[in-house]
Amino acid sequence: MSERFTYDIYNDCCPAREVLGRLADKWALLILDRLEQGPVRFNSLRRDIQGISQKMLTQSLRRLERDGLVHREVQPTVPVTVEYSLTRLGQTLTETVTVLTHWAEHNMNAIIAAQTAYDEAQQA
Amino acid sequence: MSERFTYDIYNDCCPAREVLGRLADKWALLILDRLEQGPVRFNSLRRDIQGISQKMLTQSLRRLERDGLVHREVQPTVPVTVEYSLTRLGQTLTETVTVLTHWAEHNMNAIIAAQTAYDEAQQA
DNA sequence: CAGCATCCTCGGGGATACTG
DNA sequence: CAGTATCCCCGAGGATGCTG
């Protein structure tokens, strides 16, 4: 019966595809990974995740919030500050995402080596 | 020292970002997930993964092959057939990816519910 | 069967300026 | 501070047709 789930994802109209599509967003992955370390404010996130534009950060956060993965809390300070944190659902996801990012960090050398080998083989 | 790794990924020029970028490709995720079930030929993959174009499949496969995640084996039949399978490195990755796709399938209902709630709250 | 090549479009996403 | 709004461009990616 777990097989039933395994195959669903290949279907074009499957909502799980939609969900996967969310994860297939490098910014989302990085944001989730960052949020796992604790609540962060908008500009802090912006600084931490180098290279992300303000537009993309806002967009990704909104999407993550809409998906129920991230919680957005407005603090009534002056000027206003907004704190982002993981929801319970988001936490269950980041556990997996973290494994993924760690995999990326630990295996990047192997990948770079593979790329070099591939490119050289292609040359000849 | 695991903290050192954790922070690397936020750096703009970090190769791990590149790697994550690879994973941030819904087709790649689906392909890896499919290949975990065993070697598959090109057109079979094309059929299994509904909605993918020939161009995208070729492109994703080439990238995965270049990254050393997927093995491409040409069979000298007539006409030629090509079989794709996971490399050892690819296998270590798919273990994680599978967890991710399963998460997507098992939590899609919760996500859809969150979206509906969000949209209704937005309406008012 | 397993691609490569070409054309074309459509929207992702950067840059910039403004606001509560 | 944490956004929204606008303009604009480039490249991801679909459609189509051809080949070893």
Side-chain angles (χ1 to χ4, degrees), chain B residues 75-89:
Chain B
Q75 316 264 7
T77 55
V78 179
V80 73
T81 56
V82 180
E83 199 173 72
Y84 290 93
S85 55
L86 292 177
T87 62
R88 188 127 188 79
L89 185 61

Side-chain angles (χ1 to χ4, degrees), chain B residues 51-120:
Chain B
I52 192 171
S53 68
Q54 175 272 324
K55 183 181 179 179
M56 282 298 90
L57 181 55
T58 303
Q59 204 170 97
S60 294
L61 283 172
R62 284 291 175 284
R63 199 148 44 194
L64 290 170
E65 187 194 358
R66 179 169 182 265
D67 291 344
L69 299 169
V70 160
H71 177 63
R72 177 176 181 272
E73 181 142 16
V74 181
Q75 316 264 7
T77 55
V78 179
V80 73
T81 56
V82 180
E83 199 173 72
Y84 290 93
S85 55
L86 292 177
T87 62
R88 188 127 188 79
L89 185 61
Q91 283 175 24
T92 70
L93 174 56
T94 48
E95 286 167 22
T96 305
V97 171
T98 301
V99 179
L100 203 60
T101 54
H102 281 156
W103 187 95
E105 291 168 323
H106 288 296
N107 291 96
M108 61 181 181
N109 285 331
I111 289 184
I112 290 173
Q115 291 175 350
T116 312
Y118 181 92
D119 293 344
E120 284 174 355

Side-chain angles (χ1 to χ4, degrees), chain A residues 6-78:
Chain A
T6 307
Y7 281 97
D8 274 342
I9 215 165
Y10 301 115
N11 190 312
D12 205 1
C13 323
C14 177
R17 272 276 190 94
E18 274 295 302
V19 178
L20 257 196
R22 293 280 176 280
L23 309 181
D25 168 1
K26 64 170 179 173
W27 296 130
L29 288 178
L30 290 170
I31 292 172
L32 289 173
D33 198 58
R34 177 66 189 82
L35 286 183
E36 197 186 24
Q37 299 168 32
V40 196
R41 286 188 296 106
F42 186 85
N43 279 331
S44 180
L45 254 180
R46 186 155 155 54
R47 275 186 302 270
D48 289 348
I49 303 178
Q50 294 183 24
I52 192 172
S53 69
Q54 175 274 328
K55 183 181 179 179
M56 281 298 90
L57 180 55
T58 303
Q59 203 169 97
S60 294
L61 282 172
R62 284 291 176 284
R63 198 148 44 194
L64 290 171
E65 187 194 358
R66 178 168 182 267
D67 291 345
L69 300 169
V70 159
H71 177 64
R72 177 176 182 270
E73 182 142 16
V74 181
Q75 317 264 7
T77 56
V78 180

